[in-house]
Amino acid sequence: MTKTTVYHIPVCPFCQRLEILLSLKGRRNAVNFHVIDMTQPRPDWLLAKTQGTTALPILETEDGRILKESMVLLEYLEDIYPGRRVAQHDPYRHAVENMLSRMEGDFCTQGYLYLLNQDTTRRDSLRKGVLEQYSRINRFLNEHSPSGPFLFEEFGLAETVFTPLFMRFWFLEYYEGFELPDEEKFARVRRWRDACLLHPAARQVTKEEIIKIYYDYSKGAGNGALLPGRRRSSFAFEPDWRMRPWPPQNKYEESATDEALGLIT
Amino acid sequence: MTKTTVYHIPVCPFCQRLEILLSLKGRRNAVNFHVIDMTQPRPDWLLAKTQGTTALPILETEDGRILKESMVLLEYLEDIYPGRRVAQHDPYRHAVENMLSRMEGDFCTQGYLYLLNQDTTRRDSLRKGVLEQYSRINRFLNEHSPSGPFLFEEFGLAETVFTPLFMRFWFLEYYEGFELPDEEKFARVRRWRDACLLHPAARQVTKEEIIKIYYDYSKGAGNGALLPGRRRSSFAFEPDWRMRPWPPQNKYEESATDEALGLIT
């Protein structure tokens, strides 16, 4: 028997969820986090574990069985470790947090589509798509938790699910100039987001790291793919992101080289 | 305090999930099922409960609070009623059934797209799309439950989630001539599907009812919408589907009238 292991990409929001949940439970060190380099083909030993699928995170139990999908893994980690219960016990409250958590898929998709977009004529409709997602969450919070800031008394399951996405969406501020408008219809979700971003359990990544590492997404290349004329992905582990300059913000006008991004020194 | 109430469309697969779960728990009569006519605009009293959304089922708790989404409602009903536990207790097993259950969205989408399609040139790719979904479930079952027929010992949560879709896909047999090929790569999912379809807890609808009521979907009109030249939807409650003839199968050549469908007598 070895320790429970999570194979993950450190900057990935779905992986960060697991780290946040474990932090809330005071169990961050109960799990071995094994880092995978997204810019390299998945190693054979990993593909053998996943039966060929490439999505991460995956979890390997102490006796070598494999589980996948962050939402499934959150529940599994909650179940196997004692400590503070992050999800609600009461059936009604748990249903409410589940309803909110299930909005994460569309929220994530809209934000990533906006970042990946290369067509200036689509920017406005993509911005509206993201705003509609925020507005939908705002309505939900106004219905179920008008006073807030969190859905319930404490940072819980829904906050664990959404906070990594709120952090990733810093890339929309930087590369698209996106800001949540200062309007009443976003007031409640803004209060929620801001409280989530301040929570000490969600400090695994920084804005600077996200901006630098997601540069290639802003130019249309996802999942560690290489852009034309480039030899290194912005997801490369070396040189460390802290040593690289901030990338250019004008994604529609400029394509930065490896050298300009500090990827080749 | 009144009884827990589910507002539902009887032939809807997401609603049937709740009925199956309650049947497995021996609690079918604990919940009041209130039938909504999909061919009429949602009544104002219902929209007041849902805050304007139209998707069903929704659940109203004994003290008048509203919950939505079949996957959330399944867990809620499991939690509030004693009786046989349908979901697995063991964290690993529960994670496995969750992984399988989460495949339901793509499975459902592919099947409905195929049924709704009106373009003969797309039939082959849509058929392949549905087959890929079956194949994916086949691989999952071979990995986690090679002997079967069910994922675990008994008809459980994943079966509750998928069986209504297996039943709905009878409409693909009828309107598209779709059959799961007699090949090894579908053998395990076929065994699962067939065992699901035989289970006594999943007898809320029949093949004949599904074929007749989904006729308009086969012609491209979903959610009770009216087709050109028609005055009544195939989802109408009257005349009762038992009194109507079987619809024509050749969806790409013929558009049946209200009279031919037995909707106007």
Short mmCIF file of all heavy atoms in Angstrom, two decimals, chain A residues 82-108:
data_model
loop_
_atom_site.label_atom_id
_atom_site.label_comp_id
_atom_site.label_asym_id
_atom_site.label_seq_id
_atom_site.Cartn_x
_atom_site.Cartn_y
_atom_site.Cartn_z
N PRO A 82 -11.17 12.08 7.28
CA PRO A 82 -11.90 12.81 8.31
C PRO A 82 -11.47 14.28 8.29
O PRO A 82 -10.76 14.72 7.39
CB PRO A 82 -11.48 12.12 9.61
CG PRO A 82 -10.19 11.45 9.31
CD PRO A 82 -10.13 11.21 7.84
N GLY A 83 -11.92 15.03 9.26
CA GLY A 83 -11.62 16.47 9.25
C GLY A 83 -12.88 17.22 8.93
O GLY A 83 -13.93 16.61 8.72
N ARG A 84 -12.78 18.54 8.86
CA ARG A 84 -13.96 19.36 8.55
C ARG A 84 -14.69 18.80 7.32
O ARG A 84 -14.05 18.50 6.32
CB ARG A 84 -13.51 20.80 8.25
CG ARG A 84 -14.70 21.69 7.90
CD ARG A 84 -14.30 23.02 7.27
NE ARG A 84 -15.39 23.43 6.38
CZ ARG A 84 -15.33 24.39 5.49
NH1 ARG A 84 -14.23 25.09 5.35
NH2 ARG A 84 -16.38 24.66 4.72
N ARG A 85 -16.00 18.68 7.42
CA ARG A 85 -16.77 18.28 6.25
C ARG A 85 -17.00 19.52 5.39
O ARG A 85 -17.58 20.51 5.83
CB ARG A 85 -18.09 17.65 6.68
CG ARG A 85 -18.80 17.05 5.52
CD ARG A 85 -19.73 15.88 5.79
NE ARG A 85 -20.32 15.54 4.51
CZ ARG A 85 -19.85 14.61 3.70
NH1 ARG A 85 -18.84 13.86 4.06
NH2 ARG A 85 -20.42 14.41 2.53
N VAL A 86 -16.52 19.50 4.13
CA VAL A 86 -16.62 20.66 3.25
C VAL A 86 -18.02 20.76 2.65
O VAL A 86 -18.60 21.84 2.57
CB VAL A 86 -15.53 20.60 2.15
CG1 VAL A 86 -15.68 21.74 1.17
CG2 VAL A 86 -14.14 20.60 2.79
N ALA A 87 -18.58 19.64 2.24
CA ALA A 87 -19.95 19.63 1.70
C ALA A 87 -20.94 19.69 2.85
O ALA A 87 -20.64 19.34 3.99
CB ALA A 87 -20.18 18.37 0.88
N GLN A 88 -22.14 20.16 2.55
CA GLN A 88 -23.20 20.26 3.55
C GLN A 88 -23.76 18.88 3.90
O GLN A 88 -23.92 18.03 3.03
CB GLN A 88 -24.33 21.14 3.01
CG GLN A 88 -23.91 22.58 2.75
CD GLN A 88 -23.70 23.36 4.04
OE1 GLN A 88 -24.51 23.29 4.95
NE2 GLN A 88 -22.59 24.08 4.11
N HIS A 89 -24.10 18.71 5.17
CA HIS A 89 -24.73 17.46 5.62
C HIS A 89 -26.23 17.43 5.32
O HIS A 89 -26.77 16.43 4.89
CB HIS A 89 -24.58 17.34 7.15
CG HIS A 89 -23.49 16.41 7.54
ND1 HIS A 89 -23.48 15.08 7.22
CD2 HIS A 89 -22.35 16.63 8.25
CE1 HIS A 89 -22.39 14.53 7.70
NE2 HIS A 89 -21.68 15.44 8.31
N ASP A 90 -26.89 18.52 5.55
CA ASP A 90 -28.34 18.58 5.40
C ASP A 90 -28.73 18.34 3.93
O ASP A 90 -28.16 18.96 3.03
CB ASP A 90 -28.83 19.96 5.84
CG ASP A 90 -30.29 20.17 5.53
OD1 ASP A 90 -31.13 19.55 6.19
OD2 ASP A 90 -30.59 20.92 4.56
N PRO A 91 -29.67 17.42 3.66
CA PRO A 91 -30.00 17.07 2.27
C PRO A 91 -30.43 18.27 1.41
O PRO A 91 -30.02 18.38 0.26
CB PRO A 91 -31.16 16.08 2.42
CG PRO A 91 -30.95 15.44 3.75
CD PRO A 91 -30.40 16.54 4.62
N TYR A 92 -31.24 19.17 1.98
CA TYR A 92 -31.67 20.32 1.19
C TYR A 92 -30.48 21.24 0.86
O TYR A 92 -30.28 21.64 -0.29
CB TYR A 92 -32.76 21.11 1.93
CG TYR A 92 -33.09 22.40 1.23
CD1 TYR A 92 -33.91 22.42 0.10
CD2 TYR A 92 -32.54 23.61 1.66
CE1 TYR A 92 -34.18 23.60 -0.57
CE2 TYR A 92 -32.80 24.79 1.00
CZ TYR A 92 -33.62 24.78 -0.11
OH TYR A 92 -33.88 25.95 -0.77
N ARG A 93 -29.69 21.54 1.88
CA ARG A 93 -28.52 22.39 1.65
C ARG A 93 -27.54 21.74 0.66
O ARG A 93 -26.96 22.42 -0.19
CB ARG A 93 -27.80 22.66 2.97
CG ARG A 93 -28.52 23.66 3.86
CD ARG A 93 -27.81 23.78 5.19
NE ARG A 93 -28.05 25.08 5.79
CZ ARG A 93 -27.09 25.89 6.24
NH1 ARG A 93 -25.82 25.53 6.19
NH2 ARG A 93 -27.38 27.05 6.76
N HIS A 94 -27.37 20.44 0.79
CA HIS A 94 -26.46 19.76 -0.14
C HIS A 94 -27.00 19.83 -1.57
O HIS A 94 -26.23 20.03 -2.53
CB HIS A 94 -26.25 18.32 0.31
CG HIS A 94 -25.22 17.59 -0.51
ND1 HIS A 94 -23.97 18.11 -0.78
CD2 HIS A 94 -25.27 16.39 -1.15
CE1 HIS A 94 -23.30 17.26 -1.55
NE2 HIS A 94 -24.06 16.22 -1.79
N ALA A 95 -28.31 19.71 -1.72
CA ALA A 95 -28.90 19.84 -3.06
C ALA A 95 -28.65 21.24 -3.62
O ALA A 95 -28.36 21.41 -4.80
CB ALA A 95 -30.40 19.53 -3.01
N VAL A 96 -28.76 22.26 -2.78
CA VAL A 96 -28.54 23.63 -3.23
C VAL A 96 -27.09 23.81 -3.69
O VAL A 96 -26.83 24.37 -4.76
CB VAL A 96 -28.91 24.65 -2.13
CG1 VAL A 96 -28.45 26.06 -2.50
CG2 VAL A 96 -30.42 24.63 -1.88
N GLU A 97 -26.14 23.32 -2.91
CA GLU A 97 -24.74 23.49 -3.35
C GLU A 97 -24.45 22.65 -4.60
O GLU A 97 -23.66 23.05 -5.44
CB GLU A 97 -23.75 23.20 -2.22
CG GLU A 97 -23.61 21.77 -1.82
CD GLU A 97 -22.72 21.59 -0.57
OE1 GLU A 97 -22.11 22.56 -0.09
OE2 GLU A 97 -22.68 20.44 -0.07
N ASN A 98 -25.14 21.52 -4.73
CA ASN A 98 -24.99 20.74 -5.96
C ASN A 98 -25.52 21.48 -7.18
O ASN A 98 -24.92 21.45 -8.25
CB ASN A 98 -25.72 19.40 -5.84
CG ASN A 98 -24.91 18.34 -5.11
OD1 ASN A 98 -23.70 18.49 -4.95
ND2 ASN A 98 -25.57 17.29 -4.68
N MET A 99 -26.66 22.14 -7.02
CA MET A 99 -27.21 22.90 -8.16
C MET A 99 -26.23 23.98 -8.61
O MET A 99 -25.99 24.17 -9.80
CB MET A 99 -28.55 23.54 -7.78
CG MET A 99 -29.71 22.56 -7.68
SD MET A 99 -31.33 23.41 -7.57
CE MET A 99 -31.27 24.08 -5.91
N LEU A 100 -25.65 24.68 -7.65
CA LEU A 100 -24.69 25.73 -8.01
C LEU A 100 -23.43 25.12 -8.62
O LEU A 100 -22.94 25.58 -9.65
CB LEU A 100 -24.36 26.57 -6.76
CG LEU A 100 -23.37 27.71 -6.94
CD1 LEU A 100 -23.76 28.65 -8.09
CD2 LEU A 100 -23.24 28.52 -5.65
N SER A 101 -22.94 24.05 -8.01
CA SER A 101 -21.71 23.43 -8.52
C SER A 101 -21.88 22.96 -9.95
O SER A 101 -20.94 22.99 -10.75
CB SER A 101 -21.30 22.25 -7.62
OG SER A 101 -21.03 22.70 -6.31
N ARG A 102 -23.08 22.51 -10.30
CA ARG A 102 -23.31 22.01 -11.65
C ARG A 102 -23.31 23.11 -12.70
O ARG A 102 -23.33 22.82 -13.89
CB ARG A 102 -24.61 21.20 -11.70
CG ARG A 102 -24.50 19.88 -10.91
CD ARG A 102 -25.81 19.14 -10.90
NE ARG A 102 -26.12 18.58 -12.20
CZ ARG A 102 -25.72 17.40 -12.65
NH1 ARG A 102 -24.98 16.63 -11.88
NH2 ARG A 102 -26.05 16.98 -13.84
N MET A 103 -23.28 24.36 -12.28
CA MET A 103 -23.16 25.46 -13.25
C MET A 103 -21.71 25.66 -13.68
O MET A 103 -21.42 26.49 -14.55
CB MET A 103 -23.68 26.76 -12.64
CG MET A 103 -25.16 26.76 -12.34
SD MET A 103 -25.67 28.39 -11.71
CE MET A 103 -27.37 28.02 -11.25
N GLU A 104 -20.78 24.95 -13.08
CA GLU A 104 -19.37 25.21 -13.35
C GLU A 104 -18.96 24.89 -14.79
O GLU A 104 -18.09 25.54 -15.34
CB GLU A 104 -18.47 24.44 -12.38
CG GLU A 104 -18.59 22.92 -12.41
CD GLU A 104 -17.62 22.25 -13.37
OE1 GLU A 104 -16.55 22.80 -13.64
OE2 GLU A 104 -17.97 21.15 -13.85
N GLY A 105 -19.60 23.88 -15.39
CA GLY A 105 -19.20 23.45 -16.73
C GLY A 105 -19.39 24.55 -17.76
O GLY A 105 -18.46 24.90 -18.49
N ASP A 106 -20.58 25.13 -17.80
CA ASP A 106 -20.86 26.20 -18.76
C ASP A 106 -20.03 27.45 -18.46
O ASP A 106 -19.57 28.14 -19.38
CB ASP A 106 -22.35 26.57 -18.74
CG ASP A 106 -23.21 25.48 -19.33
OD1 ASP A 106 -22.68 24.60 -20.04
OD2 ASP A 106 -24.44 25.48 -19.09
N PHE A 107 -19.87 27.74 -17.18
CA PHE A 107 -19.07 28.91 -16.78
C PHE A 107 -17.64 28.76 -17.30
O PHE A 107 -17.10 29.66 -17.95
CB PHE A 107 -19.09 29.01 -15.25
CG PHE A 107 -18.40 30.23 -14.70
CD1 PHE A 107 -18.99 31.48 -14.75
CD2 PHE A 107 -17.14 30.12 -14.11
CE1 PHE A 107 -18.36 32.60 -14.23
CE2 PHE A 107 -16.50 31.23 -13.59
CZ PHE A 107 -17.11 32.48 -13.65
N CYS A 108 -17.06 27.60 -17.07
CA CYS A 108 -15.70 27.33 -17.52
C CYS A 108 -15.59 27.40 -19.04
O CYS A 108 -14.72 28.06 -19.59
CB CYS A 108 -15.30 25.96 -17.00
SG CYS A 108 -13.66 25.44 -17.50
#
